[in-house]
Amino acid sequence: MAHILLIEDDPLVREAFEIILASDGHRISSAADGAIGLRQIEQGRYDLVITDIMMPEKDGVEVINALRKSHRDLPIIAVSGGARGSATDYLHIAKVLGAVEVLSKPIGAKELLAAVKKALPPEDGEQR
């Protein structure tokens, strides 16, 4: 399965996503903010990045911008609860910048796993 980098500042959401993704067979690495996540990207190989939008240090928009310059083909899923504004506005920006999927919090397990499956390239022999 995929090696996923999860960038999420809320520890409860991060833990829930880790459990959901790991139970589906994925290998998960996590980061508490965008700055840490970008450092991890440079040190490892990931098949997918899931990033929150509203975070301290570097937010998800900055993460997406950086990844589109350095890892152009790396699929990104952006998630947001909106915090200081409408989640829809932030997620629209994320999509324009290159996120392949966007999800508005709260996110259920089925919704998260469906987005991951859609964002990842098909494995050999797998049809979509």
Side-chain angles (χ1 to χ4, degrees), residues 6 8 10-20:
L6 173 62
E8 169 63 61
D10 183 321
L12 295 177
V13 173
R14 191 170 57 243
E15 183 178 355
F17 281 14
E18 287 172 353
I19 291 168
I20 292 165

Side-chain angles (χ1 to χ4, degrees), residues 21-33:
L21 295 166
S23 72
D24 199 44
H26 300 290
R27 195 170 101 206
I28 312 304
S29 296
S30 61
D33 67 52

Side-chain angles (χ1 to χ4, degrees), residues 6 12 15 34 48-49 58 61 78 83-85 88 101 108-109 114 121:
L6 173 62
L12 295 177
E15 183 178 355
L48 174 67
V49 172
K58 289 196 180 291
V61 170
R84 295 186 293 241
T88 305
E101 293 290 320

Side-chain angles (χ1 to χ4, degrees), residues 5-126:
L5 176 61
L6 173 62
I7 308 172
E8 169 63 61
D9 63 318
D10 183 321
L12 295 177
V13 173
R14 191 170 57 243
E15 183 178 355
F17 281 14
E18 287 172 353
I19 291 168
I20 292 165
L21 295 166
S23 72
D24 199 44
H26 300 290
R27 195 170 101 206
I28 312 304
S29 296
S30 61
D33 67 52
I36 296 168
L38 288 173
R39 283 195 299 272
Q40 285 180 234
I41 286 284
E42 297 310 317
Q43 298 170 356
R45 187 191 167 287
Y46 298 94
D47 301 303
L48 174 67
V49 172
I50 300 173
T51 184
D52 189 16
I53 295 295
M54 304 305 296
M55 296 182 291
E57 296 300 315
K58 289 196 180 291
D59 65 27
V61 170
E62 292 172 295
V63 169
I64 295 167
N65 272 328
L67 291 178
R68 283 299 154 251
K69 291 176 185 168
S70 64
H71 296 78
R72 190 158 198 77
D73 296 327
L74 181 62
I76 302 167
I77 296 174
V79 299
S80 181
R84 295 186 293 241
S86 168
T88 305
D89 293 340
Y90 291 114
L91 293 174
H92 174 74
I93 292 167
K95 190 81 167 167
V96 168
L97 293 175
V100 296
E101 293 290 320
V102 295
L103 299 170
S104 184
K105 293 177 185 174
I107 301 163
K110 287 182 182 178
E111 185 181 13
L112 178 61
L113 294 175
V116 166
K117 184 173 183 174
K118 191 172 176 183
L120 287 170
E123 294 180 18
D124 291 340
E126 181 183 49

